[in-house]
Amino acid sequence: MSDVDLVEAVSVLRDEVLDTQEYGDRDPPGSEFFEALLRALTVGGDSVPGLDLTLHDAVARRLAWGDSEEVVLSDAELVFDRMIIACQRAFRDPADQMVVIEASTLVAVTVARVVSMAAVARASRDRAARLREEMAQRQLREVLEKQKATIALLESEIKDYR
Amino acid sequence: MRVAGDTNVGKIRTTNEDSMIVEPAKGLYAVLDGMGGANAGDIASQMARDALHEYVTQRRGSLAPRQLLEAAIQAGSAAVYKASQANRERHGMGTTVVACLIVDPNHVVVGHVGDSRCYLLRQGRLQALTRDHTIVEELVDRGLLTPDEAERHPYKNVLSRNLGARPETRVDLVELELKPGDRLLLCSDGLYGYSSVEAIQYVLGSGDAPDHVARDLIDLALRGGGGDNVSTIVIEAPQAAPTASTVVKTSGAMAWWQKRQRFLQIAKDRGLPKNAIVRGLSPDEALELVGLSLCQAIFHDLEKSTGVNVWTFAQNLADGWFERGGEWAAVRSLMDILGTCARVCVDEVRGSDAQLGFLLDVAVSRALVVAELALGGLLAERLRQVDSDLIELQSVQHGLADQAAATEDPDSNAQWVDRPTIPFLRPDRPVTNTGMSEEVMDGMSKTMTIARARTSPRAELVKHVLTSLSKVAGDGGGNFATAVLEARELYGVRPVDDAGVMPLFDALDTARIISASSVHQIQATEATRAKVLLALSTAHQRLVGACTGLVLEASIPYSERLRDVAAITSEMRTQVAEAEKKRAALEREHAVNIDSSLPWGSRGNTEW
């Protein structure tokens, strides 16, 4: 491996990877994933996926703010794709390339995992909510039956009176 | 024609009053059961026997068989009558008779007087050819007794006819065409009186030789009490020449089974244990599992003239293999090996016995065709499945196109039109692994080999991921199709919950870590390693992305169902609110006009 500070070298690629000029002052989509890549390079090498709690938070925040899972995943893939291309061009030393590729893959698959977990959690919530709705429907059905019976009785008595 | 007779004094009597004629040269067989005072029964039966035998011997060519037998029995009766009249002590002696005259191998005449019987066993069914000449039986014939009453009648054994009571007697005659394998049984009442008809049928139909059968029938009567003298004669019509199917069922099946070791040896020589289907098994296990199973299946099918065992064998073999994602070529190769082994074995049988070999060749060829048909059916089934999958995919694509058109339509009121949710189908993704050099391909292959070796044997899913990974990495098309297909294979059918989905992602992560570290172990330049890692990482990212897409896809129906159910609940709430308004109005009217004493809402006010 060369003596290049990989974190610094990858930071230089930020504009290229995130296409920041398109977004002006705003954070470009996928910036949290780029940050996660830098963190992965800081700790160095492979790590257990899912340990980067900051990345978890970032994904959860985006989902909470209304971004769909597909959009989040798509951004992560975009960062990965661009990073791979940029790193092949930017790093001459294959060993450096390999470190960056591994870190980029780690980030991309971690995002995919977090997104999947979010989708699974959403499905569970939807399942539970549907159950509640169905229980409410059962109660409403009973209420409607009672109402119909009362209305029929009242209509019959009023009809007799008339 | 095989014939045998036997007689026994029984367990109670001290003398045997039965007599028999077993004369194959003259085709005359008879059982006579004597009766009468002291020592007179056996004399009567012997006297009648001798007279009968002599008459037939002297007049065999001069009278027609039917007349000959009747006259011979009459002669016997006359002889006994004459003797009984001549000696006071023998007065009243007599005998029954059942005689069978063989006219030719297919034609017999049976005559009888008294209660000795003749049975015919044809195709396993026993049928009485004679009717007892007893008083009770004649009362039954006249309708004066029922068969049940006759069975309990005290005079059920009292004869209405016999030889010796009068100079002449009436003889009942039956002419019969024998069929191949038919068996006739002539017996005295000591047999059927002490054993059931079912037991007689069982012993007579056992297939044993007539001498064994005759002896076994005597044993049967003795085990039943042996209260009377017992005599039996078994006559067996010649067996039909064995048919081709009989030969195959017996000698063919046996010859095949004796060749099983040879079959396995040829299969081993032809490389059966190396076939992909049995990979992982020891050669002996492979031979036993496939070779011996086919041998057994063919053997049982030959025995029963069916194809069901071979059919099941072929289906199980191929179905299990296809279920594991195996390729058709392996099945084809295995069937070719098995077919060759069978042909060699049959040729060897043909070498020692041309006729049997020919029949076996036809039968085994049929079995192999059945196996091919089973495989054909299986392939057709799989093709139908692929066909329906394609149709489903096509309709999903059309559905997506329709939804896209609806979304673009500004006037569309569709509130819940779903967007395509499969991110890996994004068309603008760069293709990053096209044009891999041979060196990189070789490095990737080595990496995957090392990775597989480092994977725990029980980690099936990880191994599956590694296989998928090499396929995706080797796909130069860049259209993600392989990633999608492999992801679907990996995803299979899973519940959308942590227990269902997370093991897949764990396996994907494990495979990533193993494959990435394996890259560093291959013998290659650093640059090549980097390219291999790039290819594998890209493939891995695509695979994970595709799997995530599938999870998202699987979670959509939950949201849709919730929306549908929520809409129905909302509709119901509206209905309840409207009904409540109507009820309130009616109650108000009722209180004003009919009964103001009732408080507001006291008439079944709804609670919700």
Side-chain angles (χ1 to χ4, degrees):
Chain A
M1 197 183 296
S2 68
D3 296 334
V4 175
D5 181 349
L6 281 179
V7 178
E8 196 174 324
V10 170
S11 301
V12 173
L13 299 173
R14 181 184 174 86
D15 290 346
E16 180 187 344
V17 171
L18 296 179
D19 199 13
T20 48
Q21 61 177 2
E22 283 287 315
Y23 298 92
D25 292 341
R26 288 172 294 146
D27 262 351
S31 58
E32 54 277 77
F33 308 132
F34 191 81
E35 300 304 330
L37 171 61
L38 294 179
R39 281 196 300 279
L41 288 170
T42 307
V43 296
D46 212 339
S47 69
V48 180
L51 271 190
D52 186 352
L53 296 178
T54 314
L55 180 58
H56 275 251
D57 282 349
V59 173
R61 205 176 305 118
R62 283 195 60 178
L63 293 174
W65 278 96
D67 281 341
S68 68
E69 287 114 352
E70 301 87 61
V71 171
V72 174
L73 189 63
S74 185
D75 287 348
E77 287 182 345
L78 198 65
V79 170
F80 174 82
D81 287 345
R82 287 181 178 172
M83 191 64 233
I84 293 294
I85 293 168
C87 106
Q88 287 180 85
R89 183 185 50 74
F91 299 104
R92 295 288 169 90
D93 187 345
D96 291 342
Q97 280 185 19
M98 289 168 82
V99 173
V100 176
I101 290 168
E102 281 190 51
S104 303
T105 313
L106 173 66
V107 170
V109 299
T110 306
V111 173
R113 189 187 182 96
V114 175
V115 166
S116 296
M117 285 165 68
V120 167
R122 180 169 49 75
S124 299
R125 283 197 303 277
D126 288 349
R127 221 169 6 218
R130 197 184 84 192
L131 199 64
R132 282 197 295 277
E133 290 289 331
E134 284 171 350
M135 287 168 68
Q137 280 179 17
R138 204 159 46 234
Q139 287 177 333
L140 285 168
R141 218 168 280 127
E142 286 172 11
V143 168
L144 267 172
E145 289 300 317
K146 283 184 187 172
Q147 284 178 327
K148 276 182 191 164
T150 309
I151 287 168
L153 184 67
L154 286 168
E155 280 179 340
S156 144
E157 288 188 13
I158 290 169
K159 191 179 172 187
D160 291 346
Y161 167 74
R162 283 172 185 161
Chain B
M1 192 168 268
R2 297 193 295 174
V3 184
D6 201 353
T7 185
N8 192 285
V9 69
K11 290 183 173 177
I12 308 293
R13 303 279 180 91
T14 53
T15 55
N16 192 345
E17 295 180 340
D18 287 358
S19 297
M20 294 199 306
I21 302 173
V22 180
E23 191 72 65
K26 296 187 176 68
L28 179 64
Y29 306 97
V31 167
L32 303 97
D33 181 1
M35 69 201 82
N39 299 326
D42 53 336
I43 290 170
S45 67
Q46 287 163 15
M47 204 171 275
R49 176 194 66 190
D50 295 342
L52 200 160
H53 183 255
E54 190 181 346
Y55 193 93
V56 170
T57 307
Q58 288 175 354
R59 310 281 175 91
R60 175 86 207 210
S62 58
L63 286 173
R66 190 182 173 96
Q67 283 76 29
L68 177 67
L69 187 62
E70 186 177 12
I73 293 172
Q74 293 288 12
S77 180
V80 175
Y81 178 75
K82 193 176 169 186
S84 71
Q85 294 301 312
N87 190 333
R88 192 179 190 80
E89 288 180 356
R90 294 174 182 168
H91 188 71
M93 72 175 180
T95 181
T96 69
V97 65
V98 57
C100 173
L101 187 64
I102 308 291
V103 181
D104 59 57
N106 299 320
H107 188 199
V108 296
V109 180
V110 175
H112 93 289
V113 175
D115 62 357
S116 292
R117 291 182 181 176
C118 177
Y119 287 102
L120 167 69
L121 183 87
R122 176 170 289 170
Q123 293 178 342
R125 293 183 64 183
L126 191 68
Q127 176 190 349
L129 295 180
T130 56
R131 196 171 180 85
D132 293 348
H133 297 145
T134 60
I135 291 172
V136 169
E137 197 68 38
E138 290 190 5
L139 289 174
V140 171
D141 284 347
R142 290 179 198 171
L144 299 173
L145 280 179
T146 65
D148 283 348
E149 288 169 339
E151 199 58 35
R152 295 189 298 272
H153 202 281
Y155 298 138
K156 69 173 183 178
N157 293 323
V158 177
L159 298 179
S160 58
R161 284 188 235 172
N162 65 18
L163 304 190
R166 291 180 208 158
E168 286 187 355
T169 187
R170 204 144 48 86
V171 180
D172 282 357
L173 292 158
V174 179
E175 284 187 69
L176 183 72
E177 289 287 333
L178 285 181
K179 291 187 176 174
D182 278 356
R183 278 184 169 184
L184 286 173
L185 168 66
L186 309 182
C187 64
S188 60
D189 61 349
L191 174 67
Y192 65 80
Y194 294 90
S195 56
S196 69
V197 175
E198 288 78 15
I200 294 172
Q201 178 175 352
Y202 177 78
V203 175
L204 196 59
S206 64
D208 290 343
D211 53 339
H212 282 112
V213 174
R215 196 170 56 238
D216 289 347
L217 286 169
I218 300 277
D219 286 345
L220 189 69
L222 296 178
R223 281 200 299 273
D228 199 353
N229 308 139
V230 51
S231 302
T232 58
I233 295 175
V234 177
I235 304 164
E236 185 186 83
Q239 294 283 354
T243 60
S245 74
T246 314
V247 171
V248 169
K249 277 182 182 177
T250 52
S251 315
M254 196 48 69
W256 170 260
W257 187 239
Q258 284 167 353
K259 282 281 174 191
R260 65 188 185 283
Q261 290 303 336
R262 176 77 179 126
F263 183 97
L264 297 180
Q265 183 58 45
I266 301 165
K268 191 176 181 182
D269 296 344
R270 296 262 169 182
L272 185 144
K274 292 176 190 161
N275 189 282
I277 294 179
V278 291
R279 193 168 290 152
L281 298 175
S282 70
D284 286 345
E285 284 175 332
L287 287 169
E288 190 170 332
L289 186 73
V290 178
L292 194 58
S293 297
L294 179 65
C295 274
Q296 284 173 336
I298 291 180
F299 170 70
H300 290 307
D301 281 351
L302 291 178
E303 260 194 322
K304 298 187 177 79
S305 289
T306 72
V308 66
N309 291 291
V310 172
W311 179 281
T312 311
F313 164 83
Q315 265 210 332
N316 287 347
L317 181 81
D319 204 18
W321 175 242
F322 290 150
E323 286 289 317
R324 286 188 283 153
E327 290 177 358
W328 161 245
V331 179
R332 181 68 271 154
S333 153
L334 193 64
M335 289 308 295
D336 288 343
I337 292 172
L338 293 172
T340 309
C341 299
R343 301 246 167 268
V344 172
C345 288
V346 169
D347 285 346
E348 287 178 3
V349 173
R350 196 197 279 262
S352 56
D353 184 341
Q355 196 181 357
L356 182 63
F358 170 74
L359 294 174
L360 196 59
D361 193 4
V362 173
V364 170
S365 299
R366 175 176 170 270
L368 293 173
V369 168
V370 166
E372 297 284 349
L373 284 174
L375 294 178
L378 208 61
L379 283 178
E381 182 61 33
R382 289 179 71 80
L383 277 174
R384 273 196 292 277
Q385 185 60 43
V386 169
D387 210 22
S388 66
D389 285 352
L390 282 174
I391 290 168
E392 198 178 329
L393 272 175
Q394 187 81 1
S395 45
V396 167
Q397 278 179 354
H398 283 160
L400 289 176
D402 292 346
Q403 284 179 356
T407 313
E408 283 166 10
D409 183 2
D411 297 325
S412 170
N413 291 324
Q415 192 181 356
W416 300 109
V417 175
D418 287 321
R419 288 173 294 120
T421 59
I422 310 174
F424 47 81
L425 289 180
R426 206 179 71 220
D428 60 342
R429 289 197 67 181
V431 177
T432 51
N433 70 338
T434 49
M436 279 192 294
S437 68
E438 202 170 318
E439 194 183 7
V440 175
M441 292 294 280
D442 185 45
M444 204 152 63
S445 166
K446 285 177 186 165
T447 304
M448 296 318 288
T449 306
I450 296 170
R452 281 195 199 96
R454 291 176 59 192
T455 308
S456 160
R458 281 180 292 176
E460 289 293 334
L461 193 54
V462 177
K463 283 194 275 186
H464 199 163
V465 170
L466 287 172
T467 308
S468 300
L469 207 52
S470 47
K471 284 185 189 169
V472 177
D475 173 34
N479 58 3
F480 307 101
T482 310
V484 175
L485 286 174
E486 289 303 315
R488 285 208 184 276
E489 282 285 318
L490 284 172
Y491 193 84
V493 178
R494 289 171 186 277
V496 188
D497 55 24
D498 283 351
V501 173
M502 284 309 127
L504 174 61
F505 281 88
D506 289 343
L508 284 163
D509 266 324
T510 309
R512 179 184 63 80
I513 293 165
I514 292 175
S515 59
S517 59
S518 300
V519 171
H520 297 283
Q521 293 182 343
I522 60 170
Q523 298 282 333
T525 62
E526 197 76 354
T528 307
R529 283 186 194 158
K531 284 178 184 163
V532 170
L533 182 68
L534 175 69
L536 285 176
S537 298
T538 310
H540 195 272
Q541 194 278 332
R542 287 176 182 175
L543 200 56
V544 173
C547 287
T548 309
L550 291 174
V551 175
L552 297 180
E553 205 174 54
S555 70
I556 291 170
Y558 292 96
S559 307
E560 286 176 347
R561 277 185 225 134
L562 175 61
R563 281 199 297 271
D564 294 345
V565 172
I568 294 169
T569 315
S570 171
E571 175 70 21
M572 288 181 78
R573 284 186 204 283
T574 311
Q575 286 176 11
V576 168
E578 282 172 3
E580 189 59 18
K581 275 186 204 165
K582 188 175 179 182
R583 189 189 68 88
L586 286 170
E587 282 208 342
R588 199 179 304 115
E589 188 179 349
H590 187 274
V592 169
N593 298 320
I594 301 171
D595 188 358
S596 58
S597 64
L598 281 172
W600 178 256
S602 64
R603 275 181 179 269
N605 191 14
T606 50
E607 297 163 5
W608 61 284

